[in-house]
């Protein structure tokens, strides 16, 4: 009986991984070369609980992320002192172009400023 239960759990895990589809997210930020980009998955809107999906450094004006999503997923993108929230769908490709940094905002030491970006 225990062997059947373990097999069932393994089958459930493998089938769940097969249904998860990749999301492609390209971030173009020419003024942010050398800066770190964090992609967080928001798990719960009430508690703001989230977990880190990926983190990369922008090289040559852009960076690309590939991550699994089995349904619509709300993500939080952090770049320098700015952030953006985006709802992504599995099997889709997204391109975000971040506007150059606002010198006035960087001087105010604002840590969480909504980003200006093109979708």
């Amino acid at each position: 009986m225990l062997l059947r239960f373990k097999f069932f759990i393994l089958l459930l895990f493998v089938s769940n991984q097969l249904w998860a589809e990749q999301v492609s997210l390209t971030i173009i930020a020419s003024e942010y070369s050398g800066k770190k980009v964090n992609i967080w998955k928001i798990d719960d809107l009430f508690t703001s609980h989230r977990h880190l999906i990926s983190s990369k450094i922008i090289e040559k004006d852009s960076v690309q992320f590939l991550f699994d999503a089995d349904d619509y997923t709300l993500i939080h993108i952090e770049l320098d002192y700015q952030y953006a929230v985006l709802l992504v769908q599995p099997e889709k490709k997204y391109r975000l172009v971040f506007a150059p940094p606002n010198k006035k905002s960087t001087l105010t030491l604002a840590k969480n400023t909504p980003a200006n970006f093109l979708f």
Side-chain angles (χ1 to χ4, degrees), residues 43-106:
D43 294 326
D44 187 1
L45 292 175
F46 294 111
T47 62
S48 298
H49 182 265
R50 60 188 185 167
H51 72 273
L52 186 66
I53 295 175
S54 186
S55 181
K56 292 185 179 180
I57 303 288
I58 296 177
E59 296 177 9
K60 298 182 181 178
D61 301 338
S62 68
V63 64
Q64 183 173 11
F65 294 93
L66 293 172
F67 55 91
D68 291 333
D70 54 355
D71 201 0
Y72 289 93
T73 304
L74 190 62
I75 61 172
H76 181 96
I77 304 163
E78 294 176 347
L79 173 59
D80 203 15
Y81 63 91
Q82 300 181 53
Y83 73 92
V85 178
L86 185 66
L87 183 67
V88 295
Q89 182 180 357
E91 294 187 359
K92 297 291 183 182
K93 294 182 180 182
Y94 298 92
R95 289 181 54 167
L96 287 169
V97 180
F98 276 81
N102 184 350
K103 299 299 181 194
K104 185 177 179 181
S105 293
T106 57

